[in-house]
Amino acid sequence: MKVMVVGGGGREHAIIKKLKESDKISEIYALPGNGGIEADAVCVDVKATDLEGQVKFAVENNIDFAVVAPDDPLVLGLVDLLEEKGIKCFGPNKSAAIIEGSKVFSKNLMKKYNIPTAQYEVFDNAEDALEYIKTAPIPTVIKADGLALGKGVIIADTREKAVEGIKSIMQDKVFGESGNRIVIEEFLEGPEVSVLSFTDGKTVVPMISSMDHKRALDNDQGLNTGGMGTVAPNPYYTEEVAKECMEKIFLPTINAMNNEGRSFSGCLYFGLMITKNGVKVIEYNCRFGDPETQVVLPLLTSDLFEIMLKIADKKLDEADVRFSEKNACCVVMASEGYPKKYETGKELTLPSNKNIFVAGAKKQDGQLLTAGGRVLGVTEIADTLEDAVKKSYETVKMVHFDNAFYRKDIGKKALQCKGE
Ligand code: AMP
Ligand code: GLY
């Protein structure tokens, strides 16, 4: 079958490498892909948000199946448009993708269906929000309603910062129209866990758990980023926690979406926090996480494409979904300066036969050059987490580009939890 994967980051590279293992697939196209993905798929220069261009390519090239990986084309409704043309898809339609597209929607959904999450208030004008913040508990968390490249969250540990945050989102519009409405919510504490799950709207099958490292610098210092590294499984996600999540969060969410007439099909990502008062949902994403996918899919021992086909046919209950017992660690290598200003265009050399997922690179005259903040992720697998971490950092040394920057402590917190 001919498959197209929409998107062009490390996550898409990880999806493509896994899909390549399936003998059901004859060709894989990446739209737009990137210079590193070119080694594993035919890259076609169509932006992920160019819905018309995506559909045109799919139709003209007789694509059998489309995997829509990034949030924005999902929220804009690319799956609906492809399905109208008879193309099977992995990913939710527009009405279900709103679970990530609007924080107000997802918070109200959780409240209505008693799914545990932080207490919150919604504001659609700055005056009311500023009035509320005068007496709100501090620290507090301010979130833009819409998509903001994972950066639409401000954690304010003083009232002044909260006021500044509200003004920057609602008045200065630092996240654009995403900030027309905001959610102000209770600050929660506890270890975070990412759980990606497969669902066809009837069955939900959680994948192996993982832990992201969102801050730019070691020991969780510095700015929030798209993610500087991941490990899987996440040792905080015990069997007991998993059971609680299935009963109180995963199944209730799938049922809630069905009840709202917004049945969700694809990968539903649960961003969770294990608090003293139980597990709570921090956020939903309507897609695979990045860089969680770079540790979760390498541990999947079943055929990813078979699972996706079953989901498209609403027969996930028949799918074989299995994960290795091993551990994985992904270290993200970024351009110095990320997530602020950084330089690109540096020559990039990669070792061969390694699990390297390229996020920001382009090919020029046969040479790979860096082309983004997060350049790539290096994933290694081992029997123990300690060895997976060690191996990843050894492979990192085999990657070269000027001004490479990476955290030195990916996996440290997980190792401390395990006592390894
Ligand atoms: P989000 O984009 O919603 O995942 O938020 C980004 C990060 O902000 C999360 O991974 C958490 O570390 C943090 N965060 C979000 N909401 C809260 C909250 N209610 N309490 C504490 N931290 C939060
Ligand atoms: N790693 C978090 C995300 O994909 O949004």
Side-chain angles (χ1 to χ4, degrees), residues 11 100 212 214 226-227 269 283 285 287-292:
R11 164 187 52 206
E100 175 169 3
D212 194 2
K214 285 204 162 94
Y269 167 125
E283 65 162 347
N285 290 327
R287 49 166 177 90
F288 282 102
D290 189 340
E292 285 90 340

Side-chain angles (χ1 to χ4, degrees), residues 326-379:
K326 295 189 178 197
N327 291 261
C329 171
C330 173
V331 177
V332 169
M333 299 182 72
S335 308
E336 179 79 54
Y338 172 78
K340 287 195 162 163
K341 236 176 92 153
Y342 53 81
E343 289 177 18
T344 57
K346 310 288 182 197
E347 282 193 12
L348 172 61
T349 44
L350 304 175
S352 51
N353 300 323
K354 290 284 178 191
N355 254 335
I356 293 190
F357 303 118
V358 179
K362 63 176 182 187
K363 264 266 178 73
Q364 199 169 298
D365 304 326
Q367 171 65 49
L368 267 182
L369 302 176
T370 63
R374 287 190 297 172
V375 175
L376 54 88
V378 171
T379 297

Side-chain angles (χ1 to χ4, degrees), residues 103 118 141 143 150-151 153 155 185-189 192 214 224 273 282-283:
K103 295 226 189 269
V141 183
K143 299 185 173 181
K151 299 187 189 105
V153 174
I155 300 191
E185 70 177 33
E186 178 196 6
F187 175 75
L188 298 176
E189 283 176 283
E192 288 185 56
K214 285 204 162 94
N224 252 326
M273 196 177 268
I282 291 285
E283 65 162 347

Side-chain angles (χ1 to χ4, degrees), residues 161-266:
K161 280 192 196 153
V163 168
E164 225 173 85
I166 293 169
K167 287 185 176 165
S168 70
I169 297 179
M170 299 200 89
Q171 291 174 342
D172 306 340
K173 295 262 161 57
V174 289
F175 305 122
E177 300 302 306
S178 286
N180 287 350
R181 283 197 296 180
I182 58 168
V183 170
I184 300 185
E185 70 177 33
E186 178 196 6
F187 175 75
L188 298 176
E189 283 176 283
E192 288 185 56
V193 182
S194 306
V195 179
L196 285 57
S197 70
F198 290 116
T199 180
D200 58 358
K202 296 193 291 185
T203 308
V204 56
V205 182
M207 297 179 223
I208 200 156
S209 62
S210 54
M211 183 191 288
D212 194 2
H213 297 67
K214 285 204 162 94
R215 306 287 282 271
L217 308 174
D218 285 10
N219 298 314
D220 295 332
Q221 301 296 306
L223 294 170
N224 252 326
T225 69
M228 294 301 290
T230 36
V231 294
N234 183 327
Y236 288 101
Y237 193 71
T238 59
E239 261 177 47
E240 200 182 326
V241 172
K243 192 163 167 278
E244 177 182 341
C245 288
M246 184 52 94
E247 278 168 18
K248 297 195 173 152
I249 296 173
F250 303 161
L251 287 171
T253 302
I254 300 302
N255 293 337
M257 289 299 277
N258 286 336
N259 215 37
E260 295 294 309
R262 298 175 182 273
S263 180
F264 190 102
S265 171

Side-chain angles (χ1 to χ4, degrees), residues 11 48-49 51 68-78 97 100 147 149 286-287:
R11 164 187 52 206
T49 47
L51 304 196
V68 183
D71 46 5
D72 18 2
L74 288 166
V75 170
L76 290 169
L78 179 55
E100 175 169 3
L147 296 179
L149 290 171
C286 66
R287 49 166 177 90

